[in-house]
Amino acid sequence: MEGPGIINRIWVTINDRSPKMLRSLVLKMYWDHSEKPAVSVPFGDFFGVGLGKTAVYDNVLFANPEGRSFNCFIQMPFKSAAKIELVNESDSDLDALFYDIDLQLLKSWDDSYLYFHSFWHRDTLTTLGKDF
C-alpha cells in the first residue's frame, strides 16, 4: 500500500494449523519502503499461539473467536508505504490462505503516530532453573 495510512485489523485463516506450520510461516511487515522488516515473527506466535495449539480466545488486541481464524486489532500506522509478507519456511505447501486487511488512508501524517514493531527470538542456551 502506498501513501500514509493505518492498518486497523488483520484477519487470516489457513487450512494447516499444525504446530509445525504455525511456527514455519513467518509474518513480515515493512513500513515506509524499509528493507528491514519492522515485524518478523512466526505466524502462530504473533497471533497468540506460541505452543502450537489453537484455542478460542478474545481480548482487546487479538482474537480467535472460533479456534480457526487469527485476528489482530492493533493499529499500525505507516507514513509512506506498508508491505505485509507471509513466508513459508517449511518443506510443506500451504494449500489455502484467506486474509482480509482493513486500513484507512490518511490525508496527512501526524508525528504523534507510533510505528508498530515486533521481533521474535528464541535462545536455547539457557540453564534449567536459572532466570534468563
Side-chain angles (χ1 to χ4, degrees):
M1 175 57 64
E2 293 289 330
I6 299 177
I7 295 172
N8 291 308
R9 181 184 72 97
I10 300 172
W11 171 88
V12 182
T13 190
I14 55 178
N15 68 314
D16 183 353
R17 292 180 283 278
S18 67
K20 178 182 176 185
M21 187 59 75
L22 291 172
R23 183 58 58 85
S24 297
L25 291 174
V26 178
L27 182 63
K28 295 183 178 187
M29 299 182 195
Y30 301 82
W31 312 131
D32 303 339
H33 302 287
S34 175
E35 292 184 21
K36 181 179 179 185
V39 174
S40 180
V41 296
F43 178 83
D45 293 88
F46 180 82
F47 288 101
V49 187
L51 300 176
K53 181 173 168 62
T54 60
V56 174
Y57 73 93
D58 190 3
N59 62 49
V60 173
L61 302 177
F62 295 95
N64 189 347
E66 71 295 305
R68 295 184 308 272
S69 68
F70 305 89
N71 298 275
C72 173
F73 305 104
I74 298 172
Q75 289 191 314
M76 302 177 204
F78 51 93
K79 187 174 185 177
S80 62
K83 178 172 78 169
I84 299 175
E85 295 179 341
L86 188 60
V87 180
N88 185 352
E89 294 184 347
S90 76
D91 54 3
S92 303
D93 289 336
L94 181 65
D95 296 326
L97 164 70
F98 300 93
Y99 64 92
D100 182 59
I101 301 171
D102 296 344
L103 62 89
Q104 68 187 65
L105 297 177
L106 301 172
K107 292 183 181 181
S108 63
W109 178 257
D110 185 330
D111 286 334
S112 69
Y113 293 147
L114 301 175
Y115 285 98
F116 178 78
H117 292 266
S118 180
F119 180 75
W120 183 86
H121 175 77
R122 175 174 60 186
D123 191 343
T124 58
L125 298 175
T126 59
T127 303
L128 185 63
K130 186 175 179 184
D131 289 343
F132 175 67

